[in-house]
Amino acid sequence: MQSMYFTEEHQLFRESLRDFLKKEVVPHIEKWEETGTVERFIWKKFGDMGFFGLAIPEADGGLGLDLFYTVIFLEELQRINSGGFAAAMWAHAYLAMTHLNKRAKGAIRKTYLEPSVMGDKIGCLGVSEPFGGSDVAGMRTTAKKEGDTYILNGSKTFITNGVYCDYMIVAAKTNVEAGNKGISIFVVDRHSKGVTANKLNKLGWRASDTAELAFDNVVVPAANLMGEEGKGFSYIMEAFALERLVMGINAHARADYAIEYALQYMAERETFGKPINQYQALRHRIADLYADMEMCKQYNYSVAYKMDRGEYVVKEATISKLRSTKMADEVAYDCLQFLGGYGYIEDYPMARLLRDSRLGPIGGGTSEILREIIAKIVIDKKEYTSTKASK
């Protein structure tokens, strides 16, 4: 299939990745969904295949490929119908590793980024707090400078990979009086004294661990500061653009999968002597769902294209997540309905897909917060500007 975004090399990568997931991941998904733990061996296999290094420079052990390899990575992860497993992989590669890639220097880069590419170390991103959520500027976690260290105190919640990670990218206030200009980010070893993690019991994404983290006088070397002190808020806002585009792509991909599965089922399921895909009411609803999914998909591809060229797409990525996750929830709901009673049975994929999809309008900034961001841009003419990464 010809595409203005995907080359023949992209398509070969998609086929290779799909085959890898079918052989190495799918046989274990039910176990991981049940236990809530993704076994360590699969991280190493992903690293050995280069999947964690798609967007990482070759100098750091990555492949330095364009963003559409990442798009394919995200889309194919959704097709195995485990939002939790997919989240564990992309939270490592595109939340934690993004900050390492942009901000880590010298020995820290060597200690954390290169092993992350190889799947030897697992990372997570700690921004949200029990009392803060999407209000990043209102965070209460602090990092007080003492000599050549910082003393970290506070808590984070809803942290994907927070339990079995090896390191955390943590946002904390280094100047509590400076508001959002007093936030900094650090890389913190998961096994540092004073770090504890409690696993949360979730509606969906059950294969991944989601943690509430606590920091009690954790000593963090000053060398673990990422970028410049006090610039953490702008770093986080910039990274949010990628996170929200990731979630938008996830949404259109799982909707695409849901429609594909529903169409297969409807072609085989017969009532009153004919397949249910011949009933006009169902045919027209499928047509609407497909049109909405395709609109989101093509929009998301256009945003990925702009981001790949270095454009600052905070508005476009925010729109991507807002509209795509809403669409995916509607698709999941209706595709479950198309299966009738079987849609409600766990042996069929729609029940899990519906649960997993529901996190879309919540994680990475709720839809309510995203609408306010868009309103500030289009009504108040607020401008969000990029920061220059340094190594």
Side-chain angles (χ1 to χ4, degrees):
M1 182 182 66
Q2 291 186 335
S3 169
M4 63 184 293
Y5 300 112
F6 299 102
T7 65
E8 183 179 351
E9 287 75 16
H10 286 125
Q11 300 300 354
L12 290 172
F13 171 72
R14 186 186 293 276
E15 293 171 11
S16 174
L17 173 59
R18 186 174 295 186
D19 183 61
F20 171 85
L21 294 174
K22 182 179 179 180
K23 291 179 178 178
E24 303 291 347
V25 177
V26 171
H28 306 283
I29 286 296
E30 297 306 319
K31 177 183 179 182
W32 296 339
E33 285 280 331
E34 183 177 344
T35 63
T37 301
V38 176
E39 292 173 279
R40 193 83 185 202
F41 75 85
I42 198 63
W43 299 83
K44 182 58 179 171
K45 287 192 175 184
F46 267 66
D48 289 344
M49 291 294 291
F51 296 145
F52 292 140
L54 299 176
I56 304 299
E58 293 182 43
D60 298 301
L63 299 174
L65 299 171
D66 67 67
L67 193 58
F68 282 94
Y69 283 90
T70 290
V71 171
I72 293 168
F73 179 74
L74 298 170
E75 288 180 332
E76 292 303 313
L77 281 174
Q78 292 300 309
R79 291 184 60 84
I80 64 175
N81 195 32
S82 175
F85 176 79
M89 298 298 110
W90 62 255
H92 167 66
Y94 298 107
L95 299 188
M97 286 177 61
T98 291
H99 284 281
L100 285 176
N101 185 34
K102 288 189 174 184
R103 313 296 168 194
K105 302 177 183 179
I108 296 300
R109 199 171 185 86
K110 194 83 172 175
T111 301
Y112 292 100
L113 181 58
E114 292 185 19
S116 295
V117 171
M118 296 307 300
D120 294 321
K121 286 188 176 180
I122 301 170
C124 72
L125 175 65
V127 176
S128 296
E129 298 190 355
F131 300 99
S134 297
D135 180 13
V136 175
M139 70 173 57
R140 301 182 183 182
T141 299
T142 61
K144 184 179 179 181
K145 185 74 177 293
E146 289 190 5
D148 59 355
T149 66
Y150 289 85
I151 306 302
L152 183 67
N153 283 284
S155 59
K156 302 291 178 181
T157 196
F158 311 133
I159 309 304
T160 302
N161 295 342
V163 174
Y164 51 61
C165 68
D166 299 294
Y167 66 89
M168 304 163 286
I169 307 299
V170 179
K173 283 193 171 177
T174 46
N175 184 344
V176 295
E177 287 82 27
N180 63 22
K181 297 185 183 301
I183 296 173
S184 305
I185 58 173
F186 303 85
V187 57
V188 180
D189 193 281
R190 165 69 179 84
H191 303 292
S192 299
K193 183 179 179 181
V195 177
T196 57
N198 293 314
K199 191 172 185 177
L200 301 174
N201 188 18
K202 310 183 298 296
L203 171 68
W205 281 21
R206 299 195 67 84
S208 71
D209 80 285
T210 303
E212 185 170 77
L213 304 174
F215 307 101
D216 181 13
N217 290 320
V218 178
V219 178
V220 180
N224 286 30
L225 174 69
M226 307 285 286
E228 298 178 38
E229 185 175 296
K231 295 289 185 67
F233 184 80
S234 60
Y235 298 157
I236 293 165
M237 291 299 103
E238 187 171 336
F240 268 158
L242 175 60
E243 180 179 355
R244 288 164 181 166
L245 178 58
V246 164
M247 296 195 73
I249 292 167
N250 288 339
H252 85 233
R254 69 174 167 271
D256 200 355
Y257 168 77
I259 292 171
E260 179 183 314
Y261 185 88
L263 286 173
Q264 178 185 343
Y265 175 88
M266 293 166 69
E268 298 171 354
R269 171 73 163 134
E270 292 189 1
T271 62
F272 304 102
K274 63 179 180 180
I276 64 173
N277 65 5
Q278 296 304 304
Y279 290 95
Q280 187 181 69
L282 302 186
R283 291 166 65 87
H284 288 188
R285 185 56 185 147
I286 280 284
D288 284 338
L289 296 176
Y290 183 85
D292 290 343
M293 180 277 295
E294 191 67 21
M295 290 281 285
C296 288
K297 180 195 289 187
Q298 296 303 322
Y299 178 79
N300 293 342
Y301 287 169
S302 73
V303 179
Y305 178 76
K306 290 182 178 181
M307 181 177 284
D308 195 46
R309 296 176 61 187
E311 296 184 33
Y312 193 58
V313 293
V314 62
K315 178 183 71 175
E316 293 87 346
T318 303
I319 293 171
S320 164
K321 182 181 182 299
L322 175 66
R323 303 309 298 175
S324 297
T325 56
K326 182 176 186 294
M327 174 276 299
D329 273 5
E330 293 174 354
V331 169
Y333 185 95
D334 281 359
C335 284
L336 188 151
Q337 184 73 18
F338 294 149
L339 269 65
Y342 293 108
Y344 207 64
I345 301 300
E346 290 289 345
D347 291 340
Y348 289 73
M350 288 304 160
R352 180 189 299 164
L353 191 144
L354 181 69
R355 290 197 307 273
D356 287 351
S357 184
R358 191 58 189 87
L359 187 61
I362 298 172
T366 65
S367 293
E368 291 74 20
I369 290 293
L370 301 189
R371 290 188 184 98
E372 182 59 23
I373 291 172
I374 296 168
K376 287 180 178 178
I377 294 172
V378 301
I379 298 173
D380 303 333
K381 308 303 179 185
K382 180 176 176 59
E383 293 185 1
Y384 292 87
T385 57
S386 177
T387 60
K388 289 185 177 181
S390 59
K391 293 186 180 180

